[in-house]
Amino acid sequence: MRLSVAYNGDLELIDRLRDIKSVVNIFGAQSKSVTGGGRSSFTLPDVHQTDIEKAVDKAHSYGIEFNYVMNSSCMGNKEYTSSKYKDIVEHLDWLMEMGVDWITLANPYIIEISKKRHHNLKISLSSFVTVESVQRAKYYDEIGVDEITVRENVNRSFQLLKEMKQSVKCEIQLLANQACLYQCPYQFYHCNFVSHASQRDNPSSEGQLDFSILKCNHLRFTDPAELIKTCWIRPEDLLHYEEIGIDKFKLSDRSSPTSWLAKVAEAYHNRRFEGNLAEILNLCIGMNRRQANSPLQASHPKLTDEYKNMRKLLKAFALLEVNIKNEGLEGFINYFKSKDCKSTSCDKCQYCNKVAERVVSFPYPDGIKRALQDIDDLVEQMVTRGIAE
């Protein structure tokens, strides 16, 4: 088993990961960059060019590889302008000079640029590309990527994953603790949103309410079954993927504190976690605690209505506490070895609903109710009055 762990800009995290032998690389980026990436800047701690350079050096001193994330799914076609092309090339050159081992990309055009300019720089294909079929995996394998992170929607499609692994030469990596809504209807839109919201020349990187996150969390915490349908992988169930030849797992999230990321890495390394599984999943619960370094947590010189709304959002998410009894999920994964969820109606199946009844509970139901009302209010405001200036 090999683990790739999110890097939050804190060098202490690398110190804590060095003794976890399963950790072979960390992935991170500047909080704002030329291409942008998979997280909005205002949800991340401030990470700058010099911070990345120090992190690469420290990771290498412990024999850990560094994967730089520039997996924007959309740049508004600016990548085709001469000025932005120049910025991208200079960014890639900087990464190569710094000794970065991997880059995570989603844009096929930038993949081609990177391969042409720096063929020794290994490419990890982002889950934003939504690889959910053998054919799409083969296409990117033939382009020459070194690793594919499949979209977590198919984490429980064992026959598909097995066929995919056998059909390509590159690595197949799975997101283990990601808890996005299964087959989320906001998925593509949200990828584009966070891509723009992390680009250094985009105003939204200064702060923007995230419509998709609002809608997604409302759905997940209204129906407990959705928390089971999200295609996380328990630490205890990694062996089922190793049996089909997949032994590389990615752990998010870059917006999280060092203590939490180390806890998650240890749980997956040990292949065991006792208690509440939600504590190691990348859910939005406790976001005010997880985003202690976010600019939203400090007094802002110009506390606009938009910032006030985002603070309200964080307070709402802090109330979304849930308990998922991990010991009650023993054997849970076996059901999916003979089930094809993509061609099955959840309404007819009901498996996740029954599991949720057994293992999911909300310790503070009044808090959930209040949070959902606040989320409703924010969505209503966005839809009826637009974004405040």
Side-chain angles (χ1 to χ4, degrees):
M1 176 182 58
R2 292 165 296 153
L3 298 175
S4 179
V5 182
Y7 178 61
N8 60 0
D10 183 6
L11 293 174
E12 182 187 342
L13 174 61
I14 306 176
D15 291 329
R16 296 186 63 169
L17 294 176
R18 66 177 172 179
D19 295 324
I20 303 177
K21 301 305 180 185
S22 303
V23 177
V24 295
N25 63 41
I26 57 175
F27 61 94
Q30 298 173 84
S31 44
K32 295 180 184 179
S33 68
V34 58
T35 62
R39 293 293 180 269
S40 303
S41 297
F42 57 83
T43 67
L44 296 170
D46 284 333
V47 180
H48 303 283
Q49 182 170 323
T50 55
D51 299 316
I52 295 297
E53 291 168 351
K54 292 175 183 176
V56 172
D57 287 342
K58 174 158 276 199
H60 286 171
S61 73
Y62 297 144
I64 298 173
E65 294 185 328
F66 196 96
N67 185 337
Y68 188 86
V69 179
M70 44 191 298
N71 61 327
S72 168
S73 60
C74 182
M75 294 181 64
N77 292 345
K78 291 180 181 178
E79 65 267 39
Y80 299 113
T81 65
S82 57
S83 60
K84 191 61 69 175
Y85 175 86
K86 182 175 180 289
D87 287 342
I88 292 169
V89 165
E90 289 178 351
H91 203 61
L92 290 170
D93 290 350
W94 166 64
L95 295 175
M96 194 65 189
E97 291 167 8
M98 187 174 33
V100 161
D101 307 280
W102 294 80
I103 52 171
T104 296
L105 296 172
N107 185 317
Y109 176 55
I110 300 178
I111 290 174
E112 297 278 2
I113 294 172
S114 178
K115 287 187 62 63
K116 179 71 70 173
R117 192 170 184 87
H118 300 299
H119 61 272
N120 290 328
L121 189 56
K122 292 180 285 189
I123 295 174
S124 178
L125 188 70
S126 172
S127 65
F128 277 17
V129 178
T130 316
V131 173
E132 295 183 351
S133 69
V134 174
Q135 189 58 41
R136 182 166 291 187
K138 288 180 66 176
Y139 174 77
Y140 279 99
D141 185 47
E142 289 164 4
I143 288 177
V145 303
D146 300 277
E147 174 180 87
I148 295 173
T149 303
V150 302
R151 194 71 192 189
E152 63 273 18
N153 285 327
V154 297
N155 273 3
R156 296 172 186 167
S157 301
F158 282 89
Q159 187 56 45
L160 170 60
L161 291 173
K162 182 178 180 180
E163 188 68 28
M164 193 182 294
K165 175 64 178 177
Q166 293 175 349
S167 299
V168 298
K169 301 184 294 295
C170 65
E171 292 274 5
I172 296 294
Q173 177 175 248
L174 302 181
L175 275 160
N177 71 324
Q178 190 72 4
C180 289
L181 193 71
Y182 177 61
Q183 297 293 344
C184 179
Y186 308 100
Q187 177 177 304
F188 300 108
Y189 176 65
H190 193 225
C191 289
N192 290 342
F193 171 87
V194 295
S195 296
H196 287 293
S198 53
Q199 290 162 10
R200 66 189 183 200
D201 60 352
N202 194 306
S204 66
S205 67
E206 296 300 322
Q208 185 81 62
L209 268 178
D210 190 332
F211 176 79
S212 301
I213 284 289
L214 288 167
K215 297 293 290 186
C216 170
N217 276 285
H218 197 285
L219 286 167
R220 285 191 300 190
F221 285 88
T222 299
D223 181 0
E226 296 295 344
L227 293 164
I228 300 299
K229 293 177 190 177
T230 61
C231 290
W232 36 257
I233 301 169
R234 299 168 64 237
E236 295 84 352
D237 291 337
L238 296 176
L239 62 92
H240 296 283
Y241 297 90
E242 292 169 311
E243 287 174 354
I244 60 172
I246 298 174
D247 67 352
K248 182 92 180 284
F249 303 94
K250 185 174 184 178
L251 305 175
S252 59
D253 185 276
R254 290 185 285 137
S255 64
S256 301
T258 292
S259 58
W260 187 82
L261 287 166
K263 175 181 178 180
V264 171
E266 288 169 359
Y268 280 89
H269 171 74
N270 294 329
R271 301 170 179 268
R272 182 174 181 81
F273 184 76
E274 295 182 2
N276 181 8
L277 182 65
E279 292 179 6
I280 61 170
L281 298 181
N282 186 25
L283 287 162
C284 284
I285 57 172
M287 276 185 71
N288 64 339
R289 180 178 66 251
R290 294 253 301 275
Q291 293 178 328
N293 296 324
S294 167
L296 297 178
Q297 299 306 315
S299 59
H300 197 268
K302 186 181 178 183
L303 196 58
T304 61
D305 288 342
E306 180 69 4
Y307 265 74
K308 290 176 183 177
N309 282 337
M310 286 190 286
R311 283 185 166 184
K312 182 178 180 179
L313 170 63
L314 290 185
K315 288 179 180 179
F317 282 173
L319 298 172
L320 297 177
E321 297 288 350
V322 61
N323 191 308
I324 302 175
K325 192 187 304 180
N326 194 35
E327 61 269 26
L329 290 165
E330 285 300 318
F332 159 80
I333 198 68
N334 292 325
Y335 178 82
F336 298 95
K337 291 186 175 181
S338 60
K339 195 74 174 178
D340 180 8
C341 290
K342 292 190 76 172
S343 61
T344 303
S345 166
C346 290
D347 291 337
K348 292 181 179 178
C349 176
Q350 293 290 305
Y351 177 68
C352 292
N353 299 68
K354 293 172 184 175
V355 172
E357 290 174 2
R358 191 174 72 247
V359 304
V360 177
S361 62
F362 298 118
Y364 308 108
D366 288 343
I368 296 288
K369 184 177 180 180
R370 188 161 65 252
L372 293 178
Q373 183 59 59
D374 286 345
I375 291 172
D376 274 338
D377 292 344
L378 287 169
V379 169
E380 178 70 12
Q381 177 179 318
M382 293 180 76
V383 171
T384 59
R385 300 199 297 276
I387 303 297
E389 296 296 335

